Amino acid sequence: MAELQVEIVAADHFVWSGAAKLVKGRTSNGEIGILPGHVPMLAVLAAGDLEIVPVSGSRFSVQVDGGFFSVDADRVVIVADNAVMADSVPAGTR
């Protein structure tokens, strides 16, 4: 099964990276969901929650204060102005 390689960083710190089935977030044009095979895109990330469904582990969210959202070849890179994650970290690297 195809999967996304996701990396989330804030302006001043690394937040999370790992394999995911779905990444959902809010852009300046509205909400977007990214699944494997999504067309390449670059978007302005709006403040709100990112939702990540990792390949293994439970769904979790990351609160972001805006930034950029990039998708290319099943790789998702999110560069947030600021990002705060819940205390329990699922499969992935923090």
Side-chain angles (χ1 to χ4, degrees):
M1 179 178 162
E3 59 188 43
L4 300 166
Q5 291 303 315
V6 181
E7 184 172 349
I8 304 169
V9 296
D12 61 350
H13 65 280
F14 174 81
V15 179
W16 186 86
S17 71
K21 297 185 249 182
L22 168 72
V23 176
K24 196 160 86 171
R26 185 171 307 281
T27 71
S28 59
N29 292 327
E31 192 169 288
I32 188 166
I34 306 297
L35 295 168
H38 196 283
V39 297
M41 63 162 270
L42 179 63
V44 175
L45 186 63
D49 285 336
L50 287 174
E51 184 177 322
I52 311 294
V53 179
V55 169
S56 59
S58 299
R59 172 184 312 242
F60 67 95
S61 62
V62 178
Q63 176 70 38
V64 297
D65 291 338
F68 293 94
F69 197 109
S70 169
V71 179
D72 190 23
D74 288 339
R75 183 162 187 251
V76 179
V77 178
I78 296 161
V79 180
D81 296 332
N82 189 31
V84 178
M85 195 168 159
D87 289 335
S88 60
V89 179
T93 307
R94 187 173 192 183

